[in-house]
């Protein structure tokens, strides 16, 4: 049993893209062993939740895709920044200026029509990250009395179609620099976002592990929150990532199957 | 005589956009009093040079535009990042991956055709700052054994067509974050760039003043270099800039004419 499993694990958080499937222009491909690994978690009674920063597609579409891969999942098991930010916008009565993917614009359009924007909401907009659109978001921030930049995740890049591709965090950083503001993150690695999923399982951070392919958003984010962070060698992983100058994963595994093997083997032994 | 003029001024550096003319979609408009101010500098025998981060247009086109406004200028008086970076690329035998404005691509295409890129050169690319192009630059950096990101200026924004518009520094910051690299600046506020213009006048930094509308690139850049930095209330200036949390201009004036009035009035008095 690995050192990182000496204290018991009572709940597991799983990243989706790069852990359950590899992203591509069409539907992506399932990662071998991951469907069985999720089934084994469920059969063993180990609570788990999916925590994703995927904002290029509505949650229901993402769930459908995962089910087609063979994953048996319920909607309530999936935590994504989109419902979280809708709740925030409603609670604080914010009117968002959106710079997001066209597929999720409808879900995020809340607040009174025609009211001036009181925040900018940034998602993984992909080709919508044009110079014109980034300028519009910048100008919206510059005229707000109290500019608020809300970003759905803070990732640097991810793997799509077998190549690396810029993520939303890069554009959040750009707008932060342009306007002299700090962004508020909804999604990983925000502790509030992780804590929502932990609370839903009724598990303390110290008893939980996050498994992901992003050394910052998943591993460092989890560790800063008090969880253990396991890095998989699937998805965007490249060997040049390790050793990382500031982040040491609790464990590095080939894939989700190996992580689940270790977690379940330790179960009951401590 | 203002406090900032107690020690003598023997050379003047002038920003162009926002100081000599206001930028717009067509040809821009000259700033009232600026042509006369430049003429007065020349008549008084006060050495001056123009230092610009303008990289959306070739130097010769910019000079033509200034001459049409009535400025009498020689090409050798204008310092821009484009010739400076061409020299750097040639000296270090670098092959650039370009993310620049289409109008200046020709000038910057140096190095062996077909060789793999050994650096990324970032200019004010405007609409060329698409998601696809930023991804290409990002991927080019990610496969370089020693990634070098060279940016032509580091500005946050400027005023164009009476509205604020994102500048190259914002995209430099984005790529720095994505790749974990630091960019090398060619242009303002790089001390090497200012020093080139000072050396050309044969003037020490302590004896020189920079007049510009950018509180970071112009004023702070000049001050870090040992010069005095004067901020004009034209161009991108907005009153919300002042007081600035970390930068105190040596003087704030309505326009270039006022700065030249003060500089020439002090001339000979100290």
């Amino acid at each position: 049993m690995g050192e990182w499993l000496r204290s018991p694990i009572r709940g597991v958080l799983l990243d989706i893209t790069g852990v359950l499937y590899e992203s591509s222009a069409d539907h992506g491909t399932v990662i071998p062993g991951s469907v069985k690994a999720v089934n084994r978690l469920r059969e063993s009674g180990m609570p788990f939740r999916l925590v994703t920063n995927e904002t290029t597609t509505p949650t229901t579409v993402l769930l459908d895709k995962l089910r087609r891969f063979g994953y048996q999942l319920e909607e309530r098991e999936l935590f994504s920044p989109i419902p979280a930010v809708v709740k925030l916008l409603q609670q604080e009565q914010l009117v968002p200026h959106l710079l997001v993917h066209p597929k999720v614009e409808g879900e995020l359009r809340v607040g009174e029509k025609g009211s001036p924007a009181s925040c900018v909401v940034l998602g993984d907009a992909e080709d919508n990250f044009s110079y014109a659109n980034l300028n519009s978001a910048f100008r919206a921030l510059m005229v707000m009395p109290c500019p608020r930049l809300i970003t759905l995740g803070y990732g640097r890049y991810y793997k799509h179609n077998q190549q690396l591709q810029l993520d939303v965090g890069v554009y959040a950083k750009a707008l932060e620099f342009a306007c002299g503001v700090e962004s508020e993150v909804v999604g990983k690695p925000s502790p509030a976002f992780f804590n929502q999923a932990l609370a839903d399982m009724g598990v303390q951070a110290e008893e939980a592990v996050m498994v992901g392919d992003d050394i910052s958003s998943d591993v460092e984010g989890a560790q800063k929150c008090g969880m253990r962070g396991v890095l998989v060698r699937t998805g965007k992983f490249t060997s040049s990532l390790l050793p990382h100058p500031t982040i040491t994963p609790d464990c590095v595994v080939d894939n989700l199957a190996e992580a689940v093997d270790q977690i379940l083997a330790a179960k009951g032994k401590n």
Side-chain angles (χ1 to χ4, degrees), chain A:
Chain A
M1 182 167 72
E3 189 60 40
W4 71 282
L5 288 162
R6 292 216 178 271
S7 130
I9 297 280
R10 303 198 198 283
V12 179
L13 299 184
L14 303 177
D15 181 26
I16 294 179
T17 317
V19 174
L20 300 192
Y21 76 99
E22 299 282 4
S23 174
S24 72
D26 45 22
H27 300 296
T29 49
V30 69
I31 293 175
S34 288
V35 171
K36 205 170 153 196
V38 171
N39 287 341
R40 291 182 62 211
L41 277 179
R42 192 181 302 284
E43 286 155 13
S44 73
M46 173 69 77
F48 68 90
R49 297 291 183 272
L50 309 178
V51 282
T52 182
N53 277 356
E54 174 62 69
T55 58
T56 59
T57 188
T59 316
T60 49
V61 175
L62 178 60
L63 255 181
D64 280 349
K65 178 195 273 195
L66 292 173
R67 284 171 180 154
R68 274 197 305 272
F69 285 136
Y71 292 101
Q72 290 160 37
L73 298 165
E74 292 172 46
E75 190 167 349
R76 60 161 194 84
E77 293 174 318
L78 194 150
F79 287 77
S80 127
I82 295 177
V85 79
V86 168
K87 202 169 145 193
L88 175 75
L89 296 172
Q90 285 167 340
Q91 274 171 349
E92 306 204 14
Q93 296 186 298
L94 292 169
V95 180
H97 173 108
L98 299 176
L99 178 43
V100 299
H101 201 282
K103 286 187 191 159
V104 301
E105 262 181 12
E107 285 179 84
L108 290 169
R109 213 175 284 294
V110 300
E112 200 120 335
K113 248 192 176 171
S115 303
S118 51
C119 67
V120 162
V121 171
L122 213 59
D124 180 5
E126 291 190 329
D127 287 326
N128 251 3
F129 280 134
S130 64
Y131 185 58
N133 288 347
L134 205 65
N135 265 312
S136 298
F138 158 67
R139 287 178 198 133
L141 284 166
M142 291 294 273
V143 298
M144 286 175 201
C146 300
R148 286 184 71 172
L149 172 58
I150 299 172
T151 179
L152 307 183
Y154 207 76
R156 293 162 194 249
Y157 55 84
Y158 58 96
K159 202 171 180 179
H160 180 69
N161 261 342
Q162 303 187 311
Q163 48 182 2
L164 299 181
Q165 169 161 321
L166 293 168
D167 200 358
V168 63
V170 171
Y171 287 89
K173 205 77 181 176
L175 286 177
E176 286 179 11
F177 179 65
C179 307
V181 298
E182 263 194 52
S183 47
E184 306 164 41
V185 182
V186 172
K188 299 178 287 183
S190 144
F193 186 70
F194 284 124
N195 286 332
Q196 218 186 345
L198 290 171
D200 195 57
M201 296 193 289
V203 167
Q204 299 296 315
E206 296 67 33
E207 305 168 320
V209 61
M210 167 81 212
V211 183
D213 69 333
D214 190 312
I215 197 162
S216 302
S217 290
D218 295 327
V219 174
E220 188 187 35
Q223 289 176 338
K224 282 199 170 167
C225 203
M227 285 183 274
R228 280 156 272 187
V230 170
L231 187 68
V232 290
R233 291 196 187 90
T234 50
K236 78 182 92 174
F237 177 86
T238 56
S239 54
S240 63
L241 267 180
L242 299 174
H244 191 279
T246 56
I247 309 166
T248 307
D250 288 278
C251 186
V252 183
V253 293
D254 282 344
N255 47 39
L256 177 60
E258 191 187 335
V260 168
D261 278 350
Q262 291 197 31
I263 292 164
L264 294 185
K267 197 186 168 216
K269 288 202 186 152
N270 45 24

